[in-house]
Amino acid sequence: DRQNAQPEYPWPTWILGIGLLGAITTTEVLATGPLERVRLLLQLQRSIPTLQPKYTGMFNCIRRVYREQGFLSFWRGTLPNLIGQYSHVPLLLGLNYIVYSATKDDKLATTTIATTLLNTTEISLLYPLELASTRLAADVGKGSTREFRGLFNCLSTIYREGGLRGLYKGLSARMGYYLMLTGVLNGSSNTCFEVWGARKEGAGQPWPTFFAALLTTNVLARTLSYPFNTVSRRLMMQAGRSENNVEFK
């Protein structure tokens, strides 16, 4: 009986697993931080008026960031990402418990709606951190010429100038990005598992083909949803600005 099912692992194992997940998450965020900032700078450079001349490519961006802003500047915007990732785990566990309790009948429509609400709730709660990460990464100043002095200065400045609405600038486009991304990923992944994952012994395709199919669907999902990512990031750059000083209405 699902309702009376007991946990498969003891609590110490869960705690150890969450701690290990936190260590992996920290390593991943710190390792990919420089590339993430370079990606954001290339994506948003036309929305940064103080950036002159513009970057001509990835390697030009890396050289100029190191020369003009220093080595540690490659990790600008990493702190909000770390906080968001650490908040993601307990938030996801709590929301998943609510979904689990509300969908015990296992009806597909109910589960789909609940999962969609879970994703949109999580995105909404953590969105200000994502906005702050974007704005800090797009800050190309150095020392006294920086737009923001840190995470809390960034959030407080945007809130003071744009109110609560400013902290959620571009949220609708971000919702579209995540919903398309997860929709394509889930649908294509389920198809791959049905075709390759549930095959009988000695039948079907070998695992390298299965892995290649998953990798291809992942790239496809991110490519299709990327325009929504660009729109949301460009709108984030307008947060806290007056109506007369925005590029997109």
Side-chain angles (χ1 to χ4, degrees):
D1 184 11
R2 179 179 174 184
Q3 188 171 2
N4 297 322
Q6 297 297 320
E8 186 177 353
Y9 302 104
W11 280 109
T13 305
W14 281 100
I15 295 174
L16 179 62
I18 291 174
L20 181 61
L21 179 61
I24 294 174
T25 298
T26 302
T27 303
E28 178 190 5
V29 172
L30 292 177
T32 60
L35 287 178
E36 176 66 11
R37 186 173 186 230
V38 169
R39 182 186 71 82
L40 286 174
L41 286 172
L42 292 173
Q43 185 181 30
L44 300 172
Q45 60 177 327
R46 298 197 179 279
S47 296
I48 309 174
T50 57
L51 179 61
Q52 297 296 337
K54 304 300 183 184
Y55 301 119
T56 58
M58 182 177 73
F59 294 108
N60 175 261
C61 178
I62 293 173
R63 286 195 300 269
R64 286 183 53 189
V65 168
Y66 176 75
R67 187 174 65 249
E68 298 169 4
Q69 303 166 42
F71 178 71
L72 293 180
S73 69
F74 281 108
W75 282 270
R76 281 186 191 173
T78 300
L79 178 59
N81 278 339
L82 275 175
I83 297 175
Q85 289 295 332
Y86 280 121
S87 303
H88 168 80
V89 175
L91 186 60
L92 192 61
L93 289 175
L95 292 174
N96 265 316
Y97 177 78
I98 296 174
V99 172
Y100 174 87
S101 302
T103 58
K104 289 182 179 179
D105 53 1
D106 282 333
K107 289 182 179 178
L108 179 60
T110 304
T111 305
T112 302
I113 293 173
T115 304
T116 302
L117 290 175
L118 183 153
N119 288 332
T120 54
T121 301
E122 182 190 8
I123 294 168
S124 300
L125 291 174
L126 299 180
Y127 189 78
L129 288 173
E130 192 162 9
L131 183 142
S133 175
T134 301
R135 294 297 295 270
L136 289 171
D139 189 350
V140 295
K142 184 178 181 180
S144 60
T145 63
R146 290 189 58 179
E147 184 178 8
F148 305 110
R149 296 189 301 274
L151 170 60
F152 297 106
N153 176 256
C154 175
L155 291 175
S156 61
T157 301
I158 293 175
Y159 178 77
R160 184 173 63 251
E161 297 177 357
L164 187 62
R165 183 180 178 182
L167 295 176
Y168 285 90
K169 194 76 171 179
L171 176 62
S172 57
R174 202 67 180 164
M175 291 284 190
Y177 165 71
Y178 278 114
L179 291 178
M180 176 174 284
L181 177 63
T182 55
V184 176
L185 278 178
N186 290 339
S188 57
S189 298
N190 288 339
T191 301
C192 289
F193 276 110
E194 288 177 5
V195 174
W196 284 282
R199 62 187 176 88
K200 294 182 179 180
E201 186 175 348
Q205 301 294 327
W207 70 265
T209 308
F210 174 57
F211 176 79
L214 283 178
L215 181 62
T216 301
T217 56
N218 190 294
V219 172
L220 177 63
R222 296 185 182 280
T223 301
L224 291 175
S225 58
Y226 194 76
F228 285 96
N229 183 300
T230 300
V231 171
S232 67
R233 299 284 188 184
R234 294 291 292 272
L235 290 174
M236 287 180 189
M237 294 298 295
Q238 300 184 167
R241 297 180 180 175
S242 63
E243 293 295 328
N244 298 327
N245 191 30
V246 296
E247 186 177 1
F248 308 106
K249 300 296 184 180

